[in-house]
Amino acid sequence: MGWTKLFDGHLGVAIAWLFPLTLLALLCGLWWWRRAERTDPVRGGVVMWGVWLVTFGFVFSASEVAHTAYVASLAPAIAALSALGIVMFWRAYRRGGRQGWLLQAAVAAELAWCAWLWSHYPNFLPWAKWGSLVLGVAALAVLVLARVIKPVSNALVTAGLAVGVAAMLAAPATYAISVLDPNYSGNSFDANAGPASGSA
């Protein structure tokens, strides 16, 4: 599988769902806080989680992953940077300007990426896949229209953000919850979930 193994089917659906949001947050965080003091907590967090992400990502990409459970070591960095990204991009959206389009870019990138990962297993809960895509497109429409049409209801914009975040998290949440079904709960040789668990 080579260095792309974390971006492909089996390991991809185990850990890679939020990669676009994570990487966009890391790059923007490093750039936006590049002149901040070394003691700045946001700058420190971005650097720490970025080093964590890159280190484990490089190790897993350059070597054999003996067990799918090992890739869970990427999860803390992905979770932290994704959460930071959502907050950063929402604040940028509220401020306006060119950076205000990063929120829509993150949602669109996540929708496209999740659809591609899910395409490896097209028969696994297709209604959930299409439902998350519909939610995401609706959120994008609201967030884009709110930038170009004035005035707009704050409640509508907030709803657009909430639905957009829900759409970004729908695919990984679906795969995570699937472990409640014995057919998708993995086994001692494979800690994966969903159809990638090899049990169904």
Side-chain angles (χ1 to χ4, degrees):
M1 290 166 51
W3 66 272
T4 62
K5 63 170 68 75
L6 292 177
F7 303 90
D8 209 346
H10 189 65
L11 290 178
V13 295
I15 198 63
W17 293 103
L18 295 174
F19 274 4
L21 176 60
T22 299
L23 295 175
L24 190 58
L26 175 59
L27 294 174
C28 290
L30 290 173
W31 181 254
W32 292 357
W33 274 272
R34 67 190 183 279
R35 293 191 176 92
E37 296 291 333
R38 291 184 180 181
T39 55
D40 184 90
V42 176
R43 181 179 184 270
V46 171
V47 171
M48 183 190 74
W49 292 119
V51 170
W52 183 316
L53 181 74
V54 171
T55 300
F56 279 101
F58 176 77
V59 169
F60 291 142
S61 298
S63 60
E64 185 68 27
V65 179
H67 197 285
T68 47
Y70 291 175
V71 297
S73 56
L74 286 163
I78 291 172
L81 289 170
S82 295
L84 175 65
I86 290 171
V87 173
M88 282 196 314
F89 301 147
W90 175 243
R91 289 177 177 174
Y93 180 88
R94 300 296 285 182
R95 289 194 303 269
R98 289 184 297 177
Q99 292 181 351
W101 292 103
L102 284 168
L103 177 62
Q104 297 91 314
V107 174
E110 274 296 325
L111 290 178
W113 178 251
C114 289
W116 182 79
L117 277 180
W118 208 318
S119 70
H120 290 84
Y121 305 97
N123 296 322
F124 178 66
L125 301 180
W127 60 269
K129 177 180 74 173
W130 292 110
S132 65
L133 288 174
V134 169
L135 279 177
V137 170
L140 278 174
V142 170
L143 293 172
V144 170
L145 288 175
R147 289 294 308 275
V148 297
I149 298 176
K150 302 292 183 181
V152 67
S153 167
N154 284 332
L156 183 63
V157 176
T158 303
L161 170 68
V163 174
V165 171
M168 289 191 288
L169 299 179
T174 300
Y175 269 72
I177 293 171
S178 72
V179 299
L180 299 177
D181 185 333
N183 290 323
Y184 301 122
S185 59
N187 51 64
S188 59
F189 301 101
D190 188 356
N192 222 323
S197 65
S199 302

